[in-house]
Amino acid sequence: MSDAVCKACQGVWPSKDLLIIELGLTKAYLHDDQFFPGWTVVVFRRHATELFQLAPTERFQLMEEVSHVAKTLGAIFQARKINYELLGNQLPHIHWHVIPRLATDPAPLDPVWRVPHEVVSPSADQLRDRIGRIRLGLETASDRPPR
Amino acid sequence: MSDAVCKACQGVWPSKDLLIIELGLTKAYLHDDQFFPGWTVVVFRRHATELFQLAPTERFQLMEEVSHVAKTLGAIFQARKINYELLGNQLPHIHWHVIPRLATDPAPLDPVWRVPHEVVSPSADQLRDRIGRIRLGLETASDRPPR
């Protein structure tokens, strides 16, 4: 099920260049602003806007995939904490922001939205490297959720 | 399992006055700042800090309870969207911010953390009324998750 005016359903967002991996019910993309290194967006494949619109089995699978991404990012970036956010204020289609907060974080006590910064856009080489490392981590985890 | 220096484990936070309901694995409290009406905090009972530290069955039950709270808040406050946030930057103990975003929201496109405002502290009567309405909604929902 897709929505004719939804940028996620229509493939307008996120950029295909940022795709990390296709999981069972979601696709994971690197966030286009990498000021917080490893910030990843986990996008539900079908159109839905609230957790409670999903069947319990879908909700379970979705959260297994979000948890899998979080664990992998935590290990790769040696995160002190992971932030998990499902907002949808601008784009209601379910997408999870999964944000590793590192030891080098400039404002570790604050939500990322409160941290003023210039957008960090990695070079093509840096993107390929970062996406590749996260993909490898997700693919090779022994506790990867079944599809 | 509890943590000796964790404010959630030690019962220091949230204030007991704000308790809405005890669910299976969580307790739900009204957030002390009600600038965004209905903002609720769903606190995991035992000490854990990341979704991936939980057993899949616990993760499932936790998210069923978060979803139940979100659906109930959405109906009571006629929310346009729900925000779900597990951050833990200041208090790592798992607690979900479940925030209904209403038609009257002053900044519907922004995360709540970007909206400057004075803290709104309801009177004792207002608190009792709001907590009571949410509790009743949670208790009487036909699709309340099993404990």
Side-chain angles (χ1 to χ4, degrees), chain A residues 49-52 56 59-60 63-64 67 70-71 81-90 92 96 101 108-111 113-114, chain B residues 49-52 56 59-60 63-64 67 70-71 81-90 92 96 101 108-111 113-114:
Chain A
T49 64
E50 300 288 356
L51 283 186
F52 52 82
R59 200 155 44 231
F60 173 70
M63 296 313 298
E64 290 305 289
S67 178
K71 185 176 182 180
K81 187 70 193 73
I82 307 290
N83 294 164
Y84 315 70
E85 307 191 40
L86 172 57
L87 304 179
N89 302 320
Q90 300 194 15
W96 282 92
R101 305 298 297 268
L109 299 181
D110 284 333
W113 317 103
R114 275 202 184 141
Chain B
T49 63
E50 299 288 357
L51 283 186
F52 52 82
R59 199 156 42 234
F60 173 69
M63 296 312 299
E64 290 304 289
S67 177
K71 185 175 182 181
K81 186 70 192 73
I82 307 290
N83 293 165
Y84 314 70
E85 307 192 38
L86 172 57
L87 304 179
N89 301 320
Q90 300 195 14
W96 281 92
R101 305 297 297 268
L109 299 181
D110 284 332
W113 317 103
R114 274 202 184 142

Short mmCIF file of all heavy atoms in Angstrom, two decimals, chain A residues 49-52 56 59-60 63-64 67 70-71 81-90 92 96 101 108-111 113-114, chain B residues 49-52 56 59-60 63-64 67 70-71 81-90 92 96 101 108-111 113-114:
data_model
loop_
_atom_site.label_atom_id
_atom_site.label_comp_id
_atom_site.label_asym_id
_atom_site.label_seq_id
_atom_site.Cartn_x
_atom_site.Cartn_y
_atom_site.Cartn_z
N THR A 49 1.36 5.67 9.30
CA THR A 49 1.87 6.87 9.97
C THR A 49 1.99 6.73 11.49
O THR A 49 2.65 7.54 12.11
CB THR A 49 1.00 8.10 9.64
OG1 THR A 49 -0.31 7.89 10.16
CG2 THR A 49 0.91 8.32 8.13
N GLU A 50 1.35 5.74 12.07
CA GLU A 50 1.41 5.58 13.52
C GLU A 50 1.68 4.12 13.88
O GLU A 50 1.18 3.21 13.19
CB GLU A 50 0.08 6.00 14.19
CG GLU A 50 -0.33 7.44 13.97
CD GLU A 50 0.52 8.46 14.74
OE1 GLU A 50 1.41 8.05 15.53
OE2 GLU A 50 0.28 9.66 14.55
N LEU A 51 2.38 3.90 14.97
CA LEU A 51 2.66 2.52 15.41
C LEU A 51 1.37 1.73 15.59
O LEU A 51 1.32 0.54 15.31
CB LEU A 51 3.39 2.54 16.76
CG LEU A 51 4.88 2.88 16.77
CD1 LEU A 51 5.43 2.69 18.18
CD2 LEU A 51 5.63 2.00 15.77
N PHE A 52 0.32 2.42 16.08
CA PHE A 52 -0.90 1.68 16.41
C PHE A 52 -1.75 1.35 15.19
O PHE A 52 -2.78 0.70 15.32
CB PHE A 52 -1.72 2.40 17.49
CG PHE A 52 -2.01 3.86 17.21
CD1 PHE A 52 -3.05 4.22 16.38
CD2 PHE A 52 -1.25 4.86 17.79
CE1 PHE A 52 -3.33 5.55 16.12
CE2 PHE A 52 -1.51 6.20 17.55
CZ PHE A 52 -2.55 6.56 16.71
N PRO A 56 0.07 -6.23 15.36
CA PRO A 56 1.12 -6.53 16.35
C PRO A 56 2.33 -7.24 15.75
O PRO A 56 3.46 -6.95 16.13
CB PRO A 56 0.40 -7.40 17.38
CG PRO A 56 -1.03 -6.94 17.30
CD PRO A 56 -1.26 -6.61 15.85
N ARG A 59 4.38 -4.63 14.01
CA ARG A 59 5.03 -3.75 14.98
C ARG A 59 6.25 -4.46 15.57
O ARG A 59 7.30 -3.87 15.73
CB ARG A 59 4.01 -3.39 16.06
CG ARG A 59 4.34 -2.17 16.84
CD ARG A 59 3.10 -1.52 17.43
NE ARG A 59 2.17 -2.46 18.01
CZ ARG A 59 0.87 -2.51 17.73
NH1 ARG A 59 0.34 -1.67 16.88
NH2 ARG A 59 0.08 -3.42 18.29
N PHE A 60 6.07 -5.73 15.86
CA PHE A 60 7.18 -6.53 16.40
C PHE A 60 8.34 -6.55 15.41
O PHE A 60 9.48 -6.25 15.76
CB PHE A 60 6.70 -7.96 16.70
CG PHE A 60 7.81 -8.89 17.09
CD1 PHE A 60 8.45 -8.74 18.32
CD2 PHE A 60 8.23 -9.90 16.24
CE1 PHE A 60 9.48 -9.60 18.69
CE2 PHE A 60 9.26 -10.76 16.61
CZ PHE A 60 9.88 -10.61 17.83
N MET A 63 10.13 -3.20 15.04
CA MET A 63 11.00 -2.83 16.17
C MET A 63 12.21 -3.76 16.27
O MET A 63 13.28 -3.33 16.74
CB MET A 63 10.20 -2.82 17.47
CG MET A 63 9.09 -1.76 17.51
SD MET A 63 9.60 -0.09 16.96
CE MET A 63 10.87 0.32 18.17
N GLU A 64 12.08 -5.00 15.80
CA GLU A 64 13.27 -5.87 15.74
C GLU A 64 14.28 -5.28 14.77
O GLU A 64 15.49 -5.30 15.02
CB GLU A 64 12.88 -7.29 15.32
CG GLU A 64 12.08 -8.06 16.37
CD GLU A 64 12.81 -8.12 17.70
OE1 GLU A 64 13.82 -8.82 17.80
OE2 GLU A 64 12.37 -7.44 18.64
N SER A 67 15.83 -2.15 16.34
CA SER A 67 16.76 -2.56 17.39
C SER A 67 18.05 -3.12 16.78
O SER A 67 19.16 -2.86 17.28
CB SER A 67 16.06 -3.61 18.27
OG SER A 67 16.92 -4.08 19.26
N ALA A 70 20.06 -0.21 15.62
CA ALA A 70 20.61 0.50 16.77
C ALA A 70 21.82 -0.24 17.36
O ALA A 70 22.85 0.36 17.66
CB ALA A 70 19.52 0.67 17.84
N LYS A 71 21.68 -1.54 17.51
CA LYS A 71 22.78 -2.33 18.10
C LYS A 71 24.02 -2.26 17.21
O LYS A 71 25.15 -2.10 17.70
CB LYS A 71 22.33 -3.78 18.29
CG LYS A 71 23.36 -4.63 19.01
CD LYS A 71 22.83 -6.03 19.26
CE LYS A 71 23.86 -6.87 20.02
NZ LYS A 71 23.36 -8.23 20.26
N LYS A 81 25.19 6.18 23.82
CA LYS A 81 23.72 6.05 23.93
C LYS A 81 23.17 6.11 22.52
O LYS A 81 23.77 6.74 21.64
CB LYS A 81 23.17 7.22 24.78
CG LYS A 81 21.69 7.13 25.11
CD LYS A 81 21.37 6.02 26.10
CE LYS A 81 19.87 5.72 26.18
NZ LYS A 81 19.37 5.00 25.00
N ILE A 82 22.04 5.48 22.33
CA ILE A 82 21.32 5.59 21.06
C ILE A 82 20.04 6.39 21.31
O ILE A 82 19.37 6.20 22.32
CB ILE A 82 20.95 4.20 20.50
CG1 ILE A 82 22.17 3.27 20.41
CG2 ILE A 82 20.27 4.34 19.14
CD1 ILE A 82 23.19 3.63 19.38
N ASN A 83 19.73 7.28 20.39
CA ASN A 83 18.42 7.96 20.39
C ASN A 83 17.55 7.31 19.32
O ASN A 83 18.02 7.09 18.20
CB ASN A 83 18.56 9.44 20.07
CG ASN A 83 19.31 10.26 21.12
OD1 ASN A 83 19.72 11.38 20.84
ND2 ASN A 83 19.51 9.73 22.32
N TYR A 84 16.30 7.05 19.68
CA TYR A 84 15.32 6.44 18.77
C TYR A 84 14.14 7.41 18.67
O TYR A 84 13.50 7.70 19.69
CB TYR A 84 14.78 5.12 19.31
CG TYR A 84 15.79 4.14 19.88
CD1 TYR A 84 16.46 4.39 21.08
CD2 TYR A 84 16.05 2.94 19.25
CE1 TYR A 84 17.37 3.48 21.62
CE2 TYR A 84 16.96 2.02 19.78
CZ TYR A 84 17.61 2.30 20.96
OH TYR A 84 18.51 1.40 21.49
N GLU A 85 13.82 7.87 17.48
CA GLU A 85 12.75 8.86 17.37
C GLU A 85 11.87 8.59 16.14
O GLU A 85 12.36 8.51 15.02
CB GLU A 85 13.34 10.27 17.25
CG GLU A 85 14.31 10.59 18.38
CD GLU A 85 14.69 12.05 18.46
OE1 GLU A 85 13.81 12.90 18.25
OE2 GLU A 85 15.87 12.33 18.70
N LEU A 86 10.60 8.48 16.42
CA LEU A 86 9.58 8.38 15.37
C LEU A 86 8.71 9.62 15.51
O LEU A 86 7.92 9.72 16.45
CB LEU A 86 8.75 7.11 15.57
CG LEU A 86 7.53 6.91 14.68
CD1 LEU A 86 7.88 6.95 13.21
CD2 LEU A 86 6.84 5.59 15.01
N LEU A 87 8.91 10.59 14.63
CA LEU A 87 8.23 11.88 14.78
C LEU A 87 7.15 12.04 13.71
O LEU A 87 5.98 12.02 14.00
CB LEU A 87 9.25 13.02 14.70
CG LEU A 87 10.42 12.93 15.71
CD1 LEU A 87 11.38 14.08 15.52
CD2 LEU A 87 9.90 12.89 17.13
N GLY A 88 7.58 12.24 12.46
CA GLY A 88 6.59 12.35 11.39
C GLY A 88 5.93 13.71 11.30
O GLY A 88 4.86 13.83 10.70
N ASN A 89 6.55 14.72 11.89
CA ASN A 89 5.93 16.05 11.86
C ASN A 89 5.92 16.63 10.46
O ASN A 89 4.98 17.31 10.07
CB ASN A 89 6.66 16.99 12.81
CG ASN A 89 6.67 16.47 14.24
OD1 ASN A 89 5.68 15.94 14.71
ND2 ASN A 89 7.81 16.61 14.91
N GLN A 90 6.96 16.36 9.70
CA GLN A 90 7.04 16.90 8.34
C GLN A 90 6.65 15.85 7.31
O GLN A 90 6.05 16.17 6.29
CB GLN A 90 8.45 17.42 8.08
CG GLN A 90 8.82 18.53 9.07
CD GLN A 90 10.04 19.32 8.68
OE1 GLN A 90 10.51 19.24 7.54
NE2 GLN A 90 10.57 20.08 9.61
N PRO A 92 4.76 12.25 7.48
CA PRO A 92 4.12 11.33 8.42
C PRO A 92 4.46 9.84 8.20
O PRO A 92 4.35 9.05 9.15
CB PRO A 92 2.62 11.57 8.20
CG PRO A 92 2.52 12.90 7.50
CD PRO A 92 3.79 13.07 6.73
N TRP A 96 12.04 5.90 11.34
CA TRP A 96 12.72 6.02 12.63
C TRP A 96 14.07 6.69 12.44
O TRP A 96 14.87 6.25 11.63
CB TRP A 96 12.94 4.65 13.25
CG TRP A 96 11.72 4.09 13.89
CD1 TRP A 96 10.78 3.29 13.30
CD2 TRP A 96 11.29 4.30 15.23
NE1 TRP A 96 9.80 2.99 14.22
CE2 TRP A 96 10.09 3.59 15.41
CE3 TRP A 96 11.82 5.01 16.32
CZ2 TRP A 96 9.40 3.58 16.61
CZ3 TRP A 96 11.12 5.00 17.53
CH2 TRP A 96 9.92 4.29 17.66
N ARG A 101 24.95 8.43 19.73
CA ARG A 101 25.54 9.59 20.41
C ARG A 101 26.91 9.17 20.91
O ARG A 101 27.01 8.29 21.78
CB ARG A 101 24.63 10.07 21.55
CG ARG A 101 23.18 10.37 21.10
CD ARG A 101 23.07 11.49 20.09
NE ARG A 101 23.52 12.76 20.59
CZ ARG A 101 22.73 13.68 21.19
NH1 ARG A 101 21.43 13.44 21.31
NH2 ARG A 101 23.22 14.82 21.62
N PRO A 108 26.03 16.14 24.71
CA PRO A 108 25.51 14.79 24.98
C PRO A 108 24.22 14.76 25.79
O PRO A 108 23.52 13.75 25.75
CB PRO A 108 26.66 14.12 25.75
CG PRO A 108 27.49 15.23 26.28
CD PRO A 108 27.36 16.36 25.30
N LEU A 109 23.89 15.84 26.49
CA LEU A 109 22.68 15.84 27.31
C LEU A 109 21.45 16.31 26.53
O LEU A 109 20.33 16.23 27.04
CB LEU A 109 22.87 16.74 28.54
CG LEU A 109 24.00 16.32 29.49
CD1 LEU A 109 24.07 17.27 30.68
CD2 LEU A 109 23.80 14.89 29.98
N ASP A 110 21.66 16.82 25.32
CA ASP A 110 20.56 17.43 24.58
C ASP A 110 20.03 16.55 23.46
O ASP A 110 20.79 15.80 22.83
CB ASP A 110 21.03 18.75 23.94
CG ASP A 110 21.14 19.86 24.96
OD1 ASP A 110 20.42 19.82 25.97
OD2 ASP A 110 21.96 20.77 24.74
N PRO A 111 18.74 16.68 23.15
CA PRO A 111 18.23 16.08 21.90
C PRO A 111 18.98 16.71 20.72
O PRO A 111 19.38 17.88 20.78
CB PRO A 111 16.75 16.48 21.89
CG PRO A 111 16.42 16.87 23.29
CD PRO A 111 17.68 17.39 23.89
N TRP A 113 18.02 17.88 18.08
CA TRP A 113 17.33 19.02 17.49
C TRP A 113 17.68 20.33 18.17
O TRP A 113 17.36 21.40 17.66
CB TRP A 113 15.81 18.79 17.56
CG TRP A 113 15.44 17.39 17.19
CD1 TRP A 113 15.09 16.38 18.05
CD2 TRP A 113 15.42 16.81 15.88
NE1 TRP A 113 14.84 15.23 17.35
CE2 TRP A 113 15.03 15.46 16.02
CE3 TRP A 113 15.68 17.31 14.59
CZ2 TRP A 113 14.91 14.59 14.93
CZ3 TRP A 113 15.56 16.46 13.51
CH2 TRP A 113 15.18 15.12 13.69
N ARG A 114 18.29 20.24 19.33
CA ARG A 114 18.66 21.45 20.07
C ARG A 114 20.11 21.84 19.83
O ARG A 114 20.59 22.77 20.46
CB ARG A 114 18.46 21.23 21.57
CG ARG A 114 17.06 21.48 22.02
CD ARG A 114 17.04 21.77 23.53
NE ARG A 114 15.68 21.93 23.98
CZ ARG A 114 15.22 21.47 25.13
NH1 ARG A 114 16.02 20.82 25.94
NH2 ARG A 114 13.97 21.67 25.47
N THR B 49 18.85 0.22 29.31
CA THR B 49 19.07 1.53 28.69
C THR B 49 18.92 1.53 27.18
O THR B 49 18.80 2.60 26.58
CB THR B 49 20.48 2.07 29.05
OG1 THR B 49 21.46 1.21 28.50
CG2 THR B 49 20.66 2.15 30.56
N GLU B 50 18.93 0.36 26.56
CA GLU B 50 18.81 0.30 25.10
C GLU B 50 17.79 -0.77 24.71
O GLU B 50 17.70 -1.82 25.36
CB GLU B 50 20.16 -0.05 24.45
CG GLU B 50 21.27 0.95 24.72
CD GLU B 50 21.11 2.28 23.97
OE1 GLU B 50 20.15 2.44 23.20
OE2 GLU B 50 21.96 3.16 24.18
N LEU B 51 17.09 -0.55 23.62
CA LEU B 51 16.13 -1.54 23.13
C LEU B 51 16.79 -2.90 22.92
O LEU B 51 16.19 -3.94 23.18
CB LEU B 51 15.53 -1.09 21.79
CG LEU B 51 14.45 -0.02 21.82
CD1 LEU B 51 13.91 0.17 20.41
CD2 LEU B 51 13.34 -0.37 22.79
N PHE B 52 18.03 -2.88 22.43
CA PHE B 52 18.68 -4.15 22.06
C PHE B 52 19.20 -4.92 23.27
O PHE B 52 19.72 -6.01 23.12
CB PHE B 52 19.77 -3.94 21.01
CG PHE B 52 20.79 -2.89 21.33
CD1 PHE B 52 21.86 -3.18 22.16
CD2 PHE B 52 20.67 -1.61 20.80
CE1 PHE B 52 22.80 -2.20 22.44
CE2 PHE B 52 21.62 -0.62 21.08
CZ PHE B 52 22.69 -0.93 21.91
N PRO B 56 13.58 -10.31 22.90
CA PRO B 56 12.55 -9.96 21.90
C PRO B 56 11.14 -9.94 22.48
O PRO B 56 10.34 -9.06 22.13
CB PRO B 56 12.71 -11.05 20.84
CG PRO B 56 14.16 -11.43 20.92
CD PRO B 56 14.52 -11.34 22.38
N ARG B 59 10.81 -6.69 24.34
CA ARG B 59 10.74 -5.57 23.40
C ARG B 59 9.33 -5.49 22.80
O ARG B 59 8.76 -4.42 22.66
CB ARG B 59 11.81 -5.77 22.32
CG ARG B 59 12.17 -4.55 21.58
CD ARG B 59 13.57 -4.65 20.96
NE ARG B 59 13.87 -5.93 20.36
CZ ARG B 59 14.94 -6.67 20.67
NH1 ARG B 59 15.81 -6.26 21.58
NH2 ARG B 59 15.13 -7.82 20.07
N PHE B 60 8.80 -6.66 22.46
CA PHE B 60 7.44 -6.71 21.91
C PHE B 60 6.44 -6.13 22.90
O PHE B 60 5.64 -5.24 22.57
CB PHE B 60 7.07 -8.16 21.58
CG PHE B 60 5.64 -8.33 21.15
CD1 PHE B 60 5.18 -7.83 19.95
CD2 PHE B 60 4.74 -9.00 21.97
CE1 PHE B 60 3.85 -7.98 19.56
CE2 PHE B 60 3.42 -9.16 21.60
CZ PHE B 60 2.97 -8.65 20.40
N MET B 63 6.74 -2.34 23.39
CA MET B 63 6.21 -1.54 22.29
C MET B 63 4.70 -1.66 22.17
O MET B 63 4.03 -0.72 21.72
CB MET B 63 6.91 -1.91 20.97
CG MET B 63 8.40 -1.61 20.97
SD MET B 63 8.89 0.04 21.57
CE MET B 63 8.04 1.10 20.39
N GLU B 64 4.13 -2.79 22.60
CA GLU B 64 2.67 -2.88 22.64
C GLU B 64 2.11 -1.86 23.64
O GLU B 64 1.08 -1.22 23.38
CB GLU B 64 2.23 -4.30 23.03
CG GLU B 64 2.48 -5.35 21.95
CD GLU B 64 1.84 -4.97 20.63
OE1 GLU B 64 0.61 -5.01 20.52
OE2 GLU B 64 2.57 -4.61 19.68
N SER B 67 2.51 1.65 22.19
CA SER B 67 1.52 1.84 21.13
C SER B 67 0.12 2.05 21.73
O SER B 67 -0.66 2.90 21.25
CB SER B 67 1.55 0.61 20.22
OG SER B 67 0.57 0.70 19.21
N ALA B 70 -0.01 5.54 23.00
CA ALA B 70 -0.08 6.48 21.87
C ALA B 70 -1.49 6.53 21.28
O ALA B 70 -2.03 7.61 21.00
CB ALA B 70 0.93 6.06 20.80
N LYS B 71 -2.07 5.36 21.08
CA LYS B 71 -3.41 5.31 20.49
C LYS B 71 -4.44 6.00 21.38
O LYS B 71 -5.29 6.76 20.91
CB LYS B 71 -3.82 3.85 20.25
CG LYS B 71 -5.14 3.70 19.53
CD LYS B 71 -5.44 2.24 19.21
CE LYS B 71 -6.75 2.12 18.45
NZ LYS B 71 -7.06 0.70 18.15
N LYS B 81 -0.82 13.93 15.04
CA LYS B 81 0.34 13.04 14.92
C LYS B 81 0.82 12.74 16.33
O LYS B 81 0.64 13.56 17.23
CB LYS B 81 1.45 13.74 14.11
CG LYS B 81 2.66 12.89 13.79
CD LYS B 81 2.33 11.81 12.76
CE LYS B 81 3.44 10.76 12.64
NZ LYS B 81 3.48 9.85 13.81
N ILE B 82 1.44 11.59 16.49
CA ILE B 82 2.09 11.27 17.76
C ILE B 82 3.60 11.26 17.53
O ILE B 82 4.07 10.75 16.51
CB ILE B 82 1.65 9.89 18.27
CG1 ILE B 82 0.11 9.76 18.34
CG2 ILE B 82 2.27 9.60 19.64
CD1 ILE B 82 -0.55 10.58 19.41
N ASN B 83 4.35 11.82 18.47
CA ASN B 83 5.81 11.69 18.47
C ASN B 83 6.19 10.64 19.51
O ASN B 83 5.67 10.67 20.64
CB ASN B 83 6.49 13.00 18.85
CG ASN B 83 6.32 14.12 17.83
OD1 ASN B 83 6.58 15.27 18.14
ND2 ASN B 83 5.87 13.80 16.61
N TYR B 84 7.10 9.75 19.13
CA TYR B 84 7.59 8.69 20.03
C TYR B 84 9.10 8.86 20.13
O TYR B 84 9.80 8.79 19.11
CB TYR B 84 7.34 7.30 19.44
CG TYR B 84 5.97 7.03 18.85
CD1 TYR B 84 5.55 7.64 17.66
CD2 TYR B 84 5.09 6.13 19.44
CE1 TYR B 84 4.30 7.38 17.11
CE2 TYR B 84 3.84 5.86 18.89
CZ TYR B 84 3.46 6.50 17.73
OH TYR B 84 2.22 6.24 17.17
N GLU B 85 9.61 9.05 21.33
CA GLU B 85 11.04 9.30 21.47
C GLU B 85 11.62 8.57 22.67
O GLU B 85 11.16 8.72 23.79
CB GLU B 85 11.31 10.80 21.63
CG GLU B 85 10.66 11.63 20.53
CD GLU B 85 11.14 13.07 20.52
OE1 GLU B 85 12.32 13.30 20.77
OE2 GLU B 85 10.30 13.96 20.28
N LEU B 86 12.64 7.78 22.39
CA LEU B 86 13.43 7.12 23.43
C LEU B 86 14.83 7.70 23.31
O LEU B 86 15.56 7.37 22.38
CB LEU B 86 13.45 5.60 23.18
CG LEU B 86 14.37 4.76 24.06
CD1 LEU B 86 14.10 4.94 25.53
CD2 LEU B 86 14.23 3.28 23.68
N LEU B 87 15.18 8.59 24.22
CA LEU B 87 16.45 9.32 24.11
C LEU B 87 17.43 8.84 25.19
O LEU B 87 18.43 8.20 24.88
CB LEU B 87 16.20 10.83 24.23
CG LEU B 87 15.20 11.40 23.23
CD1 LEU B 87 15.00 12.89 23.46
CD2 LEU B 87 15.64 11.16 21.80
N GLY B 88 17.18 9.20 26.43
CA GLY B 88 18.06 8.73 27.51
C GLY B 88 19.35 9.52 27.63
O GLY B 88 20.31 9.03 28.22
N ASN B 89 19.38 10.72 27.06
CA ASN B 89 20.61 11.50 27.13
C ASN B 89 20.92 11.94 28.56
O ASN B 89 22.08 12.00 28.96
CB ASN B 89 20.51 12.73 26.23
CG ASN B 89 20.25 12.35 24.78
OD1 ASN B 89 20.81 11.38 24.28
ND2 ASN B 89 19.38 13.08 24.11
N GLN B 90 19.89 12.25 29.31
CA GLN B 90 20.11 12.71 30.68
C GLN B 90 19.86 11.59 31.69
O GLN B 90 20.54 11.50 32.70
CB GLN B 90 19.19 13.91 30.98
CG GLN B 90 19.48 15.06 30.03
CD GLN B 90 18.89 16.38 30.47
OE1 GLN B 90 18.47 16.54 31.60
NE2 GLN B 90 18.87 17.33 29.55
N PRO B 92 19.52 7.55 31.39
CA PRO B 92 19.57 6.44 30.41
C PRO B 92 18.48 5.37 30.59
O PRO B 92 18.16 4.67 29.62
CB PRO B 92 20.96 5.83 30.63
CG PRO B 92 21.75 6.87 31.36
CD PRO B 92 20.76 7.68 32.15
N TRP B 96 10.01 6.24 27.41
CA TRP B 96 9.51 6.75 26.13
C TRP B 96 8.73 8.03 26.34
O TRP B 96 7.81 8.06 27.16
CB TRP B 96 8.58 5.72 25.47
CG TRP B 96 9.31 4.61 24.80
CD1 TRP B 96 9.67 3.41 25.34
CD2 TRP B 96 9.79 4.60 23.44
NE1 TRP B 96 10.34 2.66 24.40
CE2 TRP B 96 10.43 3.36 23.24
CE3 TRP B 96 9.73 5.52 22.38
CZ2 TRP B 96 11.01 3.01 22.02
CZ3 TRP B 96 10.32 5.18 21.17
CH2 TRP B 96 10.94 3.94 21.00
N ARG B 101 0.56 15.55 19.19
CA ARG B 101 0.69 16.88 18.58
C ARG B 101 -0.69 17.28 18.06
O ARG B 101 -1.24 16.62 17.17
CB ARG B 101 1.73 16.83 17.45
CG ARG B 101 3.11 16.30 17.89
CD ARG B 101 3.79 17.16 18.95
NE ARG B 101 4.09 18.48 18.48
CZ ARG B 101 5.26 18.85 17.91
NH1 ARG B 101 6.23 17.95 17.75
NH2 ARG B 101 5.46 20.09 17.52
N PRO B 108 3.83 22.80 14.47
CA PRO B 108 3.54 21.39 14.16
C PRO B 108 4.63 20.69 13.34
O PRO B 108 4.68 19.47 13.33
CB PRO B 108 2.22 21.46 13.38
CG PRO B 108 2.12 22.86 12.89
CD PRO B 108 2.82 23.71 13.91
N LEU B 109 5.49 21.45 12.68
CA LEU B 109 6.52 20.83 11.85
C LEU B 109 7.81 20.53 12.63
O LEU B 109 8.71 19.87 12.10
CB LEU B 109 6.85 21.73 10.64
CG LEU B 109 5.70 22.01 9.69
CD1 LEU B 109 6.17 22.88 8.54
CD2 LEU B 109 5.09 20.71 9.15
N ASP B 110 7.90 21.03 13.85
CA ASP B 110 9.15 20.93 14.60
C ASP B 110 9.09 19.86 15.68
O ASP B 110 8.04 19.63 16.30
CB ASP B 110 9.46 22.27 15.29
CG ASP B 110 9.98 23.30 14.31
OD1 ASP B 110 10.59 22.91 13.31
OD2 ASP B 110 9.76 24.50 14.57
N PRO B 111 10.25 19.26 16.00
CA PRO B 111 10.33 18.46 17.23
C PRO B 111 10.04 19.35 18.43
O PRO B 111 10.35 20.56 18.40
CB PRO B 111 11.80 18.00 17.25
CG PRO B 111 12.31 18.18 15.85
CD PRO B 111 11.53 19.31 15.27
N TRP B 113 11.46 19.75 21.08
CA TRP B 113 12.66 20.32 21.71
C TRP B 113 13.07 21.63 21.05
O TRP B 113 13.92 22.34 21.57
CB TRP B 113 13.80 19.30 21.62
CG TRP B 113 13.35 17.92 21.95
CD1 TRP B 113 13.09 16.91 21.07
CD2 TRP B 113 13.06 17.38 23.25
NE1 TRP B 113 12.66 15.78 21.73
CE2 TRP B 113 12.64 16.05 23.06
CE3 TRP B 113 13.11 17.91 24.54
CZ2 TRP B 113 12.27 15.22 24.13
CZ3 TRP B 113 12.75 17.09 25.60
CH2 TRP B 113 12.34 15.76 25.38
N ARG B 114 12.51 21.92 19.93
CA ARG B 114 12.86 23.15 19.23
C ARG B 114 11.85 24.26 19.48
O ARG B 114 11.94 25.32 18.87
CB ARG B 114 12.92 22.89 17.71
CG ARG B 114 14.24 22.38 17.25
CD ARG B 114 14.41 22.65 15.76
NE ARG B 114 15.66 22.07 15.31
CZ ARG B 114 15.83 21.48 14.14
NH1 ARG B 114 14.83 21.41 13.29
NH2 ARG B 114 17.00 20.99 13.80
#
